[in-house]
Amino acid sequence: MIKKTLYFGNPAYLSLRMEQMVIKLPEVEKATGLPSAIKEQSVVTRPIEDIGIVVLDNKQITITQGLLEALLENNCAVITCDSHRMPVGLMLPLCGNSVQSERFQDQISASLPLRKQLWQQTVKAKINNQARILTICSQAESRCMKKWSDNVKSGDTDNQEAHAAAYYWKKIFSNIKGLENFTRNRDGIEPNNLLNYGYAILRAIVARALVSSGMLPTFGIHHHNRYNAYCLADDIMEPYRPYVDELVYNVVERYGAGNLSLTNEIKTVLLSIPTIDVVISGKRSPLMVGVTQTTASLYKCFSGEQRIIAYPER
């Protein structure tokens, strides 16, 4: 069963009762003139075991320590947002697997040639998925993407990922009026803001799955920024980014350039990322489930059980 993503954008009081998240809305409780029956209905409960991600996007949210403990014990990722309503923090459980120490050792002791081969697989999967997105969304020519994918060497020493990315971002929104000259820049024009938000959600999904599979999200196979606590998550999410890109493309096509602020309506679309269909080894599943399959296969690569990461094929 796929875990639920809960988003809170209004003041709320979140607590725990009998393994249930209790959601109270103070604005409704304090409102005058409302019948007591309606006020009682403002209190909602959700089973902790059904929750995979919680997004806290309001400065007037109160969450109890007991609830946080229960969420983390059930391997839930808790995301907090800043004053611009963008994800800024991620809380994950410290212990997500019964043989975690053993798995840490396998991960850390992985040889450099193995890590380079795993990064080669990752980049090839990313470029192939980007090529399919270009064909689906903008009908742009993608044969060059296939060539770059075929030329990826161990460790991507020739940086084929960068060649593909430059072409990909030049073309993906090229058929949408107002975005003909779009460039991917974290602080750039819309829809960069939507991409940032979607990638933050994706990153949380991947980090959660890595912890569940008993690995350190910090210790990457390629990314190694000393200030980045989620290097491995940033590695493994790469082939999944095009799924977010397609979702954002559909939002842009629907609303048009210039109408892409992060409204609750658009956030609702982006928060559906865990439920996007992906195909791994010919089998279709929700993205959140697919990511778990990917991280499980990654550990098997670290332990020597297999050599191939199970990535999605768009």
Side-chain angles (χ1 to χ4, degrees), residues 18-29:
M18 298 180 65
E19 298 305 312
Q20 300 271 325
M21 173 190 279
V22 181
I23 305 165
K24 294 183 180 180
L25 304 178
E27 291 180 336
V28 176
E29 288 185 333

Side-chain angles (χ1 to χ4, degrees), residues 22-306:
V22 181
I23 305 165
K24 294 183 180 180
L25 304 178
E27 291 180 336
V28 176
E29 288 185 333
K30 295 176 182 178
T32 58
L34 287 178
S36 58
I38 294 180
K39 290 187 176 183
E40 289 174 2
Q41 292 175 4
S42 68
V43 179
V44 180
T45 60
R46 293 287 184 271
I48 296 293
E49 63 183 3
D50 292 349
I51 304 171
I53 298 175
V54 173
V55 182
L56 307 176
D57 188 11
N58 192 288
K59 294 183 181 299
Q60 298 183 55
I61 292 174
T62 299
I63 183 168
T64 67
Q65 171 63 23
L67 176 58
L68 277 176
E69 178 184 347
L71 289 170
L72 295 174
E73 284 180 348
N74 282 271
N75 197 30
C76 176
V78 181
I79 300 171
T80 58
C81 298
D82 60 17
S83 56
H84 301 290
R85 316 208 80 170
M86 291 293 294
V88 69
L90 174 62
M91 186 179 295
L92 294 168
L94 286 174
C95 183
N97 191 282
S98 58
V99 288
Q100 190 161 297
S101 178
E102 176 185 329
R103 295 194 169 207
F104 283 177
Q105 291 299 322
D106 288 336
Q107 177 187 355
I108 293 170
S109 62
S111 67
L112 179 60
L114 174 60
R115 296 202 304 273
K116 286 185 174 182
Q117 291 166 15
L118 296 178
W119 182 241
Q120 177 188 29
Q121 295 176 35
T122 301
V123 172
K124 288 175 71 72
K126 177 184 181 181
I127 295 175
N128 287 333
N129 285 342
Q130 286 178 324
R132 294 185 182 97
I133 291 300
L134 281 185
T135 301
I136 293 170
C137 294
S138 63
Q139 291 79 52
E141 175 57 57
S142 61
R143 282 180 295 182
C144 56
M145 301 283 286
K146 181 67 167 62
K147 179 180 178 181
W148 286 319
S149 173
D150 291 341
N151 289 340
V152 176
K153 298 178 181 178
S154 178
D156 190 23
T157 51
D158 293 335
N159 206 4
Q160 299 296 329
E161 181 190 20
H163 295 309
Y167 180 79
Y168 176 76
W169 289 116
K170 181 180 179 181
K171 295 294 185 179
I172 187 169
F173 298 114
S174 60
N175 63 340
I176 295 180
K177 186 177 180 180
L179 294 178
E180 297 88 350
N181 299 313
F182 175 82
T183 56
R184 172 64 184 143
N185 185 321
R186 182 175 180 84
D187 300 317
I189 64 169
E190 300 172 349
N192 277 294
N193 57 333
L194 307 191
L195 292 166
N196 294 342
Y197 194 93
Y199 292 155
I201 299 300
L202 176 61
R203 193 186 199 208
I205 295 169
V206 175
R208 172 186 175 275
L210 287 168
V211 170
S212 179
S213 295
M215 288 176 285
L216 286 164
T218 302
F219 195 76
I221 56 176
H222 175 75
H223 288 91
H224 54 271
N225 188 321
R226 64 187 294 187
Y227 304 108
N228 184 357
Y230 298 103
C231 288
L232 186 58
D234 289 343
D235 288 333
I236 301 306
M237 69 183 277
E238 293 292 352
Y240 286 92
R241 286 180 184 265
Y243 293 90
V244 176
D245 302 340
E246 182 182 17
L247 191 64
V248 170
Y249 178 90
N250 291 334
V251 171
V252 173
E253 194 173 46
R254 176 181 176 184
Y255 292 92
N259 300 298
L260 301 173
S261 59
L262 275 167
T263 62
N264 286 340
E265 186 176 359
I266 289 179
K267 282 183 182 178
T268 299
V269 177
L270 296 176
L271 289 169
S272 71
I273 289 170
T275 65
I276 293 174
D277 279 348
V278 301
V279 177
I280 297 178
S281 301
K283 296 182 179 179
R284 188 177 301 275
S285 65
L287 182 143
M288 181 179 280
V289 176
V291 169
T292 301
Q293 295 172 5
T294 297
T295 58
S297 70
L298 174 63
Y299 172 70
K300 289 182 180 179
C301 292
F302 286 144
S303 67
E305 297 176 59
Q306 64 184 53

